[in-house]
Amino acid sequence: MNLKFLVLGATLLTAISVTAEEGVTVNLYPSKDAPTINKEIYGQFAEHLGTCIYGGIWVGENSPIPNTNGYRNDVLEAFRALHIPVLRWPGGCFADEYHWEDGIGPKENRPRMVNNNWGGTVEDNSFGTHEFFNLCEMLGIEPYLSGNVGSGTVEELANWIEYITAEDGPQAQLRKQNGREKPWHLKYLGVGNESWGCGGSFTPEYYADVYRRYQTYCRNFNGNKLYKIASGASDYDYNWTEVLMKKAANRMDGISLHYYTVAGWSGSKGAATKFSDEDYYWTLGKCLEIESVIKEHMRIMDKYDSKKRVGLMVDEWGTWWDEEPGTIKGHLYQQNTMRDAMVAALSLNIFHNLTERVKMANIAQIANVLQSMVLTKDKQMVLTPTYYVFKMYVPHQDATLIPLTLNTPYRMVRANRLVPTISATASQKDGIVTISLTNIDLTKPCEVEIPLKDIKFSKVSGEILTAADIHDYNDFGAPEKVTLKPFDKAKVSKDVLRLTLPAKSIVTISLH
Ligand code: AHR
């Protein structure tokens, strides 16, 4: 059976069932030939921005906040449960003004710096290379280093790689003097960030040449093999991808893409916690548009790399709302409601389907910035609704995708966007089939049937994330308003799984 054809055919079918009022059937097509969902799609991003690093992750060894070697214990525990595969650092825009040598050696000797991109906050450089790589090592995370191309030099970046990965030589000696004998492992290297904007305002032609030059001196030391990622396009800038692929595809392993879900119709980004029903549906339409944007970038990449060797790394994505009133301007601190959870689930579903080209995605950002996993305030921490989606989806990491079709109803929203009410993704790993379903409708539950003829299992379990109100969020006074709950309403009879998917809910079913 040609699965690609089948899925395409089903897409056409679903597109005409706009007015379907009856239940939804999800058909699963397990296949040994289906791709593995790259676990790196569950990547995170930590920038020196607001309180993401300082206060959010790092409080220093002498802090009254319980910590392990300076990292907050509550946050460490929360991160562990997400099985974070990869963490991008130190930016973002910050990366192109970061000089790594300021962040090594005895902390009392490290110079202070002004974070010009993000509110002019003065930082003491107490979180630097050692603190980042040790964090990754402690949590079993693959580090993803963003190199400074905008305001740095080729030599500076070359030395940084040598400092991190060489067994011997002047940079390795310096590292050893600073207390780290063995090199660290470094796979992912970003050569600049948003080089069309905060990373240097380059033209694509000029950046392509600069990229070629920089990557030449990013060496592989002692068996460490770098995966080099060119700074890619934003949203709909297809020309950037075209030029980069044409001029430098043979010298890169990946190219990035940034796409944020913003409430762009009103001129402002919109408030995180105050939005109308129409705003909500429009936002989800904007979120889903990432699929056509990625596909257009993929189409261009295919022209120069038909074998899909070069990965498309969506290394910044997520919601971007107005900063919370009363917070520091430029710190991008925003709340996170059940609407954000929907954006997370829908985006991850899309990345699953495009996993053959999308080799990594990094939600922005891990703590206290934009669509965060955790929010902290002094000693307190809350887990966001988005955190719970990532937790619920852990079984999909590195699992084999199960292609599926479904006959969802659609909703027409502002600007003639058609938004599917029901979305789903499924995968299998270690004998467990995991099916995640999303109902974005604010009022109507949906009856779902899933034929399971070809699937062997003896036990069904489930989890649900929903909220009394789509505007609900977790805050320091009420940290558990939106949390994962067990879901035991899925029943199997005659090889068909049936459940009622509540309004505004995300459900994951496991077949063991
Ligand atoms: O994630 C916040 C900022 O958004 C990043 O620093 C930058 O790369 C992007 O514009």
Side-chain angles (χ1 to χ4, degrees):
M1 182 176 9
N2 183 336
L3 280 171
K4 278 189 184 138
F5 180 77
L6 184 69
V7 172
L8 177 68
T11 309
L12 293 175
L13 272 181
T14 53
I16 53 171
S17 64
V18 175
T19 54
E21 286 297 325
E22 65 276 10
V24 164
T25 302
V26 178
N27 287 304
L28 305 177
Y29 303 96
S31 157
K32 279 197 222 70
D33 301 331
T36 298
I37 298 169
N38 300 310
K39 67 174 188 298
E40 289 78 11
I41 281 170
Y42 289 82
Q44 298 281 341
F45 172 31
E47 179 166 10
H48 288 240
L49 196 178
T51 52
C52 181
I53 301 288
Y54 296 107
I57 297 174
W58 176 255
V59 287
E61 294 89 337
N62 302 323
S63 170
I65 297 174
N67 69 83
T68 304
N69 305 330
Y71 312 99
R72 297 178 68 119
N73 288 344
D74 49 1
V75 167
L76 286 180
E77 194 189 323
F79 289 176
R80 276 198 185 97
L82 292 186
H83 299 267
I84 297 169
V86 55
L87 181 62
R88 179 171 182 247
W89 175 87
C93 296
F94 178 85
D96 280 290
E97 274 189 84
Y98 181 61
H99 299 286
W100 67 272
E101 285 165 321
D102 295 344
I104 55 169
K107 293 211 165 56
E108 59 281 12
N109 297 342
R110 299 188 191 177
R112 283 150 56 90
M113 67 165 297
V114 181
N115 191 332
N116 290 311
N117 281 287
W118 305 117
T121 306
V122 175
E123 300 189 1
D124 65 3
N125 271 308
S126 56
F127 190 95
T129 303
H130 290 244
E131 290 73 24
F132 172 65
F133 279 88
N134 290 344
L135 171 69
C136 289
E137 208 167 61
M138 190 165 49
L139 298 184
I141 297 174
E142 192 77 54
Y144 174 4
L145 198 69
S146 233
N148 179 348
V149 169
S151 72
T153 63
V154 178
E155 184 185 16
E156 184 183 6
L157 183 55
N159 284 346
W160 200 9
I161 295 161
E162 188 178 326
Y163 184 89
I164 293 163
T165 59
E167 295 270 8
D168 205 357
Q171 293 301 333
Q173 285 310 320
L174 184 58
R175 184 192 67 233
K176 290 175 191 179
Q177 272 166 34
N178 288 332
R180 171 75 187 198
E181 187 63 27
K182 279 191 324 190
W184 291 282
H185 171 70
L186 171 63
K187 179 173 176 186
Y188 297 109
L189 176 74
V191 181
N193 167 74
E194 296 196 348
S195 301
W196 38 265
C198 65
S201 305
F202 294 86
T203 63
E205 290 78 12
Y206 183 62
Y207 171 73
D209 287 342
V210 170
Y211 170 81
R212 290 168 66 101
R213 176 172 179 227
Y214 266 73
Q215 64 79 35
T216 308
Y217 303 98
C218 297
R219 310 274 189 202
N220 292 323
F221 292 94
N222 311 109
N224 185 74
K225 175 97 176 62
L226 294 173
Y227 183 104
K228 298 171 192 171
I229 301 167
S231 170
S234 164
D235 309 277
Y236 314 88
D237 184 357
Y238 303 115
N239 181 52
W240 186 276
T241 301
E242 179 88 46
V243 175
L244 263 285
M245 289 300 292
K246 192 171 181 179
K247 294 190 80 169
N250 59 348
R251 287 179 163 80
M252 64 174 79
D253 299 298
I255 182 169
S256 64
L257 171 69
H258 291 179
Y259 183 95
Y260 283 98
T261 295
V262 285
W265 69 85
S266 61
S268 88
K269 296 201 170 72
T273 54
K274 294 188 185 68
F275 47 89
S276 66
D277 292 358
E278 216 194 332
D279 297 345
Y280 163 75
Y281 289 118
W282 187 92
T283 300
L284 298 188
K286 168 76 179 161
C287 152
L288 288 163
E289 198 167 285
I290 196 174
E291 180 170 5
S292 57
V293 171
I294 291 177
K295 282 183 172 164
E296 183 54 16
H297 287 285
M298 281 169 49
R299 191 190 62 74
I300 297 164
M301 292 176 76
D302 285 350
K303 285 205 297 182
Y304 302 96
D305 173 38
S306 58
K307 298 216 166 104
K308 298 193 179 0
R309 185 191 61 78
V310 179
L312 183 61
M313 327 299 270
V314 189
D315 63 16
E316 287 186 30
W317 68 273
T319 57
W320 193 325
W321 314 123
D322 292 338
E323 293 172 292
E324 289 302 317
T327 60
I328 297 174
K329 204 164 174 318
H331 279 197
L332 310 188
Y333 179 87
Q334 67 187 40
Q335 250 304 345
N336 195 299
T337 67
M338 189 63 207
R339 173 176 66 164
D340 295 81
M342 291 291 180
V343 169
L346 297 178
S347 305
L348 291 167
N349 294 354
I350 291 168
F351 299 152
H352 286 186
N353 287 340
L354 303 176
T355 191
E356 281 173 292
R357 182 64 94 171
V358 177
K359 308 275 189 208
M360 188 197 291
N362 307 71
I363 189 167
Q365 298 193 5
I366 196 165
N368 294 332
V369 171
L370 301 179
Q371 192 175 351
S372 297
M373 300 298 119
V374 300
L375 298 174
T376 65
K377 187 172 158 201
D378 306 322
K379 285 188 174 168
Q380 301 177 74
M381 180 200 71
V382 296
L383 305 174
T384 65
T386 299
Y387 175 92
Y388 288 115
V389 174
F390 272 71
K391 182 143 187 263
M392 195 186 218
Y393 273 49
V394 164
H396 292 301
Q397 291 191 18
D398 268 350
T400 306
L401 183 74
I402 302 181
L404 59 81
T405 60
L406 77 165
N407 57 326
T408 176
Y410 282 74
R411 172 183 287 272
M412 180 75 82
V413 302
R414 219 188 262 136
N416 292 338
R417 278 202 167 100
L418 269 180
V419 181
T421 307
I422 307 299
S423 301
T425 191
S427 66
Q428 55 185 332
K429 188 174 154 187
D430 303 334
I432 300 171
V433 168
T434 306
I435 307 165
S436 297
L437 301 150
T438 300
N439 178 7
I440 65 163
D441 199 289
L442 289 172
T443 54
K444 282 194 232 137
C446 178
E447 303 301 321
V448 178
E449 283 192 356
I450 310 178
L452 297 174
K453 207 161 44 70
D454 301 327
I455 293 172
K456 300 212 182 338
F457 64 96
S458 53
K459 201 177 137 214
V460 181
S461 62
E463 280 184 308
I464 183 167
L465 187 71
T466 186
D469 189 313
I470 194 71
H471 304 89
D472 281 352
Y473 56 88
N474 296 331
D475 208 353
F476 302 103
E480 295 194 349
K481 213 163 179 182
V482 188
T483 58
L484 275 183
K485 305 240 162 58
F487 181 80
D488 59 8
K489 300 201 171 60
K491 302 289 173 213
V492 182
S493 130
K494 296 192 183 138
D495 285 342
V496 178
L497 181 88
R498 290 189 178 82
L499 66 142
T500 303
L501 201 54
K504 50 177 160 34
S505 72
I506 305 164
V507 167
T508 286
I509 304 292
S510 308
L511 306 172
H512 308 249

